[in-house]
Amino acid sequence: MAKIEAFKVAACKAEIARLEVVAAGYRMVFERERERADSLAIELSQAAAETIAANAWAARLEDEVAALRTGRQAGGSIAGQAALRLGRLAASIVQADRAASR
């Protein structure tokens, strides 16, 4: 009877050791996936920030285009207004390009 119990205990210990190895393998997979998810979350945050900046830049460009169209219709020194606005527009484009390449 004691031999049977000792055998059962040994079998249980062997099964526990096997399950610990399996659990360690799953733990490694979990850690790797968690690191990947953290990395993707950072990339997503950066992409969201870039999208917000691009939308703001697009809105500024739309405002500049609208101002150019309004200036043309209102009369006056269209060439002077257009040159000034185009200069600002070019500066906005350069600034946005530099921000996007960072």
Side-chain angles (χ1 to χ4, degrees):
M1 193 66 131
K3 288 183 181 182
I4 295 173
E5 292 300 319
F7 180 74
K8 287 181 182 180
V9 169
C12 287
K13 286 182 179 180
E15 181 66 9
I16 289 170
R18 186 188 72 77
L19 291 174
E20 285 174 345
V21 170
V22 170
Y26 286 139
R27 183 63 155 166
M28 285 176 23
V29 170
F30 170 78
E31 291 296 332
R32 184 176 55 242
E33 290 302 315
R34 187 181 61 155
E35 288 173 8
R36 193 169 75 93
D38 290 345
S39 175
L40 289 173
I42 290 169
E43 287 181 34
L44 180 61
S45 294
Q46 290 171 344
E50 289 172 5
T51 300
I52 290 169
N55 286 339
W57 177 59
R60 283 194 306 271
L61 292 177
E62 288 173 0
D63 290 345
E64 288 291 327
V65 169
L68 286 171
R69 287 185 179 143
T70 303
R72 231 183 268 142
Q73 293 171 355
S77 176
I78 295 172
Q81 290 175 2
L84 186 63
R85 288 192 176 114
L86 283 174
R88 288 188 199 132
L89 181 61
S92 295
I93 291 171
V94 169
Q95 180 184 7
D97 186 49
R98 285 181 181 155
S101 64
R102 289 184 191 154

